[in-house]
Amino acid sequence: MKLLFLDSIEAATYGGMEEWIRLVGTGLAARGHETTVSGRAGSEFLRRMAPRGENLHVLELSISGDFQPTTINRIKSYLDEQQIDIIVVNFNKDVRLGGIAARWSGATKVVWSVGLDITKDNFAHRFLTPRLVDAVLVPSQSL
């Protein structure tokens, strides 16, 4: 299976979800799955992904707005080039960037890994999220 983890955490920040992605990503790669971890170029998150194994890759992105066309296009191109099966997204921004790219790509499924209740009661979230996410992964019943 080919997976892409997308995390748009600020460049200087590293938290629990980033550690989860590091552990899961390296574990899946060690089991033979082609795994790519993507985030902001030069971020602490991507720095901690080293050393990289044979099946573990890093994709640096220039991430700014939630609907940044160049970022969406870069993700879509990577999904198509690498024939990614699943993109795992983290933040609301990731849902929009990765979800739109996956929909344009056509074949990639989107899994939203929710660590905190970061949903918002606004039109964009209520309208877009159900159309961009295929599955939700949560660590607790309350989420």
Side-chain angles (χ1 to χ4, degrees), residues 83-117:
Q83 299 178 335
I84 301 294
D85 300 308
I86 297 173
I87 181 171
V88 181
V89 296
N90 183 12
F91 296 108
N92 290 328
K93 178 182 299 230
D94 305 336
V95 169
R96 292 186 258 290
L97 293 171
I100 292 170
R103 291 302 176 252
W104 287 351
S105 177
T108 305
K109 298 296 182 189
V110 179
V111 175
W112 186 14
S113 178
V114 180
L116 297 170
D117 185 6

Side-chain angles (χ1 to χ4, degrees), residues 27-87:
L28 289 168
R31 288 168 179 80
H33 298 282
E34 286 293 324
T35 306
T36 302
V37 177
S38 62
R40 293 179 192 270
S43 67
E44 178 65 16
F45 169 55
L46 293 185
R47 186 190 68 76
R48 292 192 189 195
M49 290 307 300
R52 299 171 191 128
E54 182 179 329
N55 296 324
L56 183 62
H57 314 282
V58 171
L59 174 64
E60 293 187 348
L61 297 169
S62 176
I63 298 174
S64 54
D66 287 17
F67 300 97
Q68 180 65 32
T70 54
T71 305
I72 293 169
N73 188 50
R74 176 69 181 110
I75 296 168
K76 183 208 175 290
S77 296
Y78 192 84
L79 297 176
D80 291 342
E81 291 166 10
Q82 300 300 316
Q83 299 178 335
I84 301 294
D85 300 308
I86 297 173
I87 181 171

